[in-house]
Amino acid sequence: MSSKTNSDNAAVEIRPMDAEDIETLIALNKKAFPLMAEENVVWSERQLLNHLRLFPEGQLVAHREGVIVGAAASLIVQFGADPYRAHTYAGITDGGYFHNHNPQGDTLYGADVYVDPDCQGCGIGAALYEARRALCKRLNLRRILAGGRLSGFDENGKDMSPDDYVQKVINGDISDPVLSFQLREGFVVRGILRNYITDPKSHNLASLIEWKNPDYVDSASSSKVRIACVQYKVRKIETFEDFSAQVEYFVETAADYRTDFVLFPEFFSVQLLSILKPLSPLEGIKVLAEKYTKPFIELMSGLARKYGLYIIGGSHPMKENGKTYNNSLIFTPEGRYIAQPKLHITPSEKRYWGISGGSELVVLPTPKAKVAVQICYDIEFPEATRYLADQGAEIIFVPYCTDDRHAFLRVRGCAMARAIENQVYVATAGIIGNLPSVPAMDIHYGQAAVFTPSDFEFARDGIQAQADSNVETLLVTDLDTADLYRSRAAGSVTPRLDRRTDLFELKVKLKNVRTDNELEDAPLNLPK
């Protein structure tokens, strides 16, 4: 492997390390980290020879005009179910010898990147990081993890906690020579590692950073999916920060349970109108669309990135070409999103809020499952679910907002029917609580639940899990997509196979989108 990039009018070439480079690399490592050299925390000849023996592809060298000006050392590890667990540099690298390199692992661990101090600012570090990302993709690894020394902490962070220091660097309030660069390279902070490495400048602290491989394909083909449905209680709030804290609580809790997807209810962002003086329904929905769409997207996108999961962002009103749509935004762990508009608009939505119906249905392929969203009333129309199932959807997420038990039961009953008809999972989540100061959003009835087909592979009553009604909570459950395919092929009944297409035909007139190239960046211009 060899690659070239142009930096500062001179080409940077990245190639694998070889044994003849070792003496030069030892000297360069000491030059790059003089304080760590005093602590004897730099590479030795035996260590670098071991790196070459165990994982030659992961050892990279940067050349500039024929001179070695930088290098990167990596190994493969298996973190399993807890990739963000605390560790030390010596522990994760086996004292720097890489004996724990695991070719069957799923994570490329960045043990070191160092650049000649005389050549810093010439794009050499960026070229090494790009080469490492290319290696991660080529080997089909799930992610890159690394412990990034907080090298500016001694100078700028002694009067604050490590967490506050990292947050200020993320916010751009202060700059850290290592972390600021890593953030620009698309990495996300997953935690703080204490006593990570002996380094006076960082007080032995490091940030645990991650870059997820967007092209990763799970070769193990795990069919297990964990989802969380938020039974969200709306209540009067005073600031956007109150809303943000309530939302993050549920995302953080879902992440603690290692969920892959978290579902919020329809129109839960209408809670933001309780901050303002009472407005008419039409004025309120206009303010919500115009004033709060950008901060709402920034919040949800940031949380998806921070916690590394998919967020189905309930629904939020958005303006487009002079019309107001009720959109559910699906956020990826990279912070990007795609909008699924509500197709079928209830009489009250039209009358009070002037909502228009959309004309697109999206199936989003993810490493865990193919997913789609139908917003509340949409699940009461079987044609839409049938289309999504025919497009490969395995899990249908249904955010809803219902005022009384009659309305709730319509959504619930139809969701159960769609799961049986199409042999898919249907996950639902609704609002509870009251907003007396917000017209058309005063009372709510909800009970989060996940429904399955009705056959031997699934729960006895077709209910995988359900929460107590009208209690604020988080419903977490595991699904197995392999059960869907077994049921479809050899179930007690096989409705997917037994359809009378000779008698009935589904004609589709959707203005559809391609999910592989229509994901949007959040307003903060997060990396694609």
Side-chain angles (χ1 to χ4, degrees):
M1 178 191 70
S2 179
S3 63
K4 290 184 179 181
T5 59
N6 289 319
S7 306
D8 194 28
N9 298 319
V12 177
E13 180 182 357
I14 307 297
R15 62 163 175 80
M17 181 182 85
D18 58 46
E20 286 73 28
D21 299 324
I22 288 179
E23 183 177 347
T24 301
L25 291 177
I26 291 173
L28 180 60
N29 197 228
K30 291 179 179 178
K31 183 179 180 182
F33 304 123
L35 289 178
M36 296 178 70
E38 292 177 11
E39 300 286 345
N40 201 30
V41 189
V42 291
W43 297 126
S44 69
E45 181 179 1
R46 286 181 58 201
Q47 288 172 327
L48 294 181
L49 283 171
N50 224 39
H51 299 175
L52 278 179
R53 180 176 66 84
L54 293 168
F55 185 35
E57 291 176 288
Q59 319 317 314
L60 304 173
V61 170
H63 274 259
R64 190 166 182 257
E65 298 181 325
V67 178
I68 293 178
V69 291
S74 308
L75 68 157
I76 298 175
V77 295
Q78 178 65 47
F79 272 100
D82 187 13
Y84 310 135
R85 64 179 180 269
H87 57 269
T88 65
Y89 185 82
I92 202 67
T93 65
D94 192 32
Y97 284 91
F98 292 9
H99 286 120
N100 58 326
H101 168 70
N102 179 4
Q104 303 303 314
D106 64 353
T107 299
L108 185 68
Y109 196 88
D112 200 7
V113 171
Y114 48 104
V115 174
D116 189 327
D118 297 333
C119 300
Q120 287 181 352
C122 298
I124 296 162
L128 286 165
Y129 269 64
E130 177 58 30
R132 188 181 269 170
R133 287 192 292 267
L135 176 65
C136 181
K137 289 183 176 183
R138 183 161 59 85
L139 298 179
N140 190 38
L141 297 174
R142 188 185 297 271
R143 61 173 67 84
I144 301 173
L145 280 181
R149 299 178 305 113
L150 299 181
S151 60
F153 188 80
D154 185 68
E155 180 178 353
N156 298 317
K158 287 187 289 188
D159 297 326
M160 63 185 79
S161 70
D163 295 90
D164 288 341
Y165 175 83
V166 167
Q167 190 59 53
K168 284 183 178 294
V169 176
I170 292 173
N171 294 342
D173 298 331
I174 56 177
S175 178
D176 180 275
V178 175
L179 180 55
S180 296
F181 167 76
Q182 291 165 333
L183 294 172
R184 291 195 298 272
E185 288 296 312
F187 281 76
V188 176
V189 176
R190 298 301 189 197
I192 305 295
L193 300 173
R194 290 167 170 79
N195 299 314
Y196 179 72
I197 195 168
T198 303
D199 174 34
K201 294 182 71 174
S202 68
H203 292 207
N204 302 341
L205 295 164
S207 59
L208 178 60
I209 58 168
E210 180 186 44
W211 177 82
K212 283 195 171 183
N213 178 5
D215 300 331
Y216 174 74
V217 178
D218 190 350
S219 57
S221 299
S222 172
S223 58
K224 297 288 187 180
V225 186
R226 180 166 293 179
I227 66 173
C229 304
V230 180
Q231 196 152 291
Y232 189 95
K233 183 175 182 179
V234 291
R235 63 195 38 110
K236 180 172 174 52
I237 54 177
E238 300 298 329
T239 65
F240 186 88
E241 287 69 29
D242 293 340
F243 175 76
S244 175
Q246 186 176 347
V247 172
E248 182 166 9
Y249 165 77
F250 284 111
V251 177
E252 181 180 20
T253 304
D256 287 344
Y257 282 96
R258 303 192 185 104
T259 59
D260 301 298
F261 299 89
V262 56
L263 169 65
F264 282 88
E266 179 187 26
F267 277 134
F268 79 110
S269 66
V270 175
Q271 183 183 25
L272 292 165
L273 293 180
S274 68
I275 299 171
L276 310 174
K277 65 180 182 179
L279 301 168
S280 71
L282 200 56
E283 291 174 325
I285 216 72
K286 180 181 179 182
V287 168
L288 195 61
E290 294 179 352
K291 179 177 180 179
Y292 287 109
T293 291
K294 185 174 183 288
F296 175 79
I297 293 175
E298 289 178 347
L299 169 65
M300 305 304 284
S301 175
L303 292 176
R305 282 170 55 87
K306 179 177 180 180
Y307 294 101
L309 42 65
Y310 287 87
I311 299 177
I312 291 84
S315 80
H316 179 82
M318 298 175 66
K319 289 278 191 181
E320 184 180 341
N321 297 325
K323 293 184 178 181
T324 302
Y325 295 96
N326 182 7
N327 285 346
S328 180
L329 304 182
I330 309 171
F331 294 87
T332 74
E334 294 75 38
R336 306 193 72 201
Y337 68 93
I338 193 165
Q340 171 60 69
K342 189 172 184 176
L343 273 58
H344 302 89
I345 308 304
T346 64
S348 60
E349 284 178 282
K350 294 176 185 176
R351 181 170 62 250
Y352 292 117
W353 291 332
I355 300 290
S356 298
S359 58
E360 300 167 347
L361 277 175
V362 174
V363 176
L364 182 64
T366 77
K368 285 290 186 177
K370 291 182 179 179
V371 303
V373 175
Q374 290 187 267
I375 305 171
C376 196
Y377 198 30
D378 282 340
I379 200 66
E380 299 179 32
F381 297 84
E383 303 89 352
T385 315
R386 175 57 54 86
Y387 168 81
L388 292 170
D390 286 348
Q391 297 302 307
E394 297 161 326
I395 305 173
I396 308 292
F397 289 101
V398 181
Y400 66 86
C401 173
T402 51
D403 55 350
D404 60 19
R405 193 168 183 269
H406 298 94
F408 155 73
L409 287 174
R410 287 195 298 269
V411 173
R412 178 187 174 93
C414 291
M416 294 185 75
R418 302 297 89 82
I420 293 170
E421 293 164 355
N422 298 284
Q423 294 179 290
V424 296
Y425 293 114
V426 180
T428 67
I431 286 175
I432 65 169
N434 309 309
L435 285 175
S437 64
V438 181
M441 284 288 289
D442 39 9
I443 62 171
H444 301 93
Y445 190 104
Q447 183 180 35
V450 180
F451 305 113
T452 74
S454 186
D455 215 332
F456 291 111
E457 287 87 351
F458 309 101
R460 185 189 67 178
D461 51 7
I463 303 173
Q464 173 73 15
Q466 66 180 352
D468 293 333
S469 60
N470 296 330
V471 176
E472 188 169 40
T473 189
L474 185 73
L475 179 69
V476 180
T477 191
D478 287 335
L479 306 177
D480 191 336
T481 56
D483 287 342
L484 294 177
Y485 294 98
R486 281 192 292 269
S487 175
R488 292 174 184 180
S492 300
V493 294
T494 52
R496 294 288 292 270
L497 298 177
D498 298 334
R499 289 162 57 184
R500 290 291 304 273
T501 55
D502 59 322
L503 299 177
F504 305 99
E505 182 180 0
L506 180 63
K507 290 187 177 181
V508 177
K509 300 178 182 179
L510 294 166
K511 177 191 172 185
N512 231 19
V513 298
R514 288 171 54 87
T515 56
D516 60 351
N517 64 4
E518 292 293 337
L519 288 168
E520 300 288 342
D521 289 319
L524 287 176
N525 296 318
L526 297 169
K528 296 183 179 181

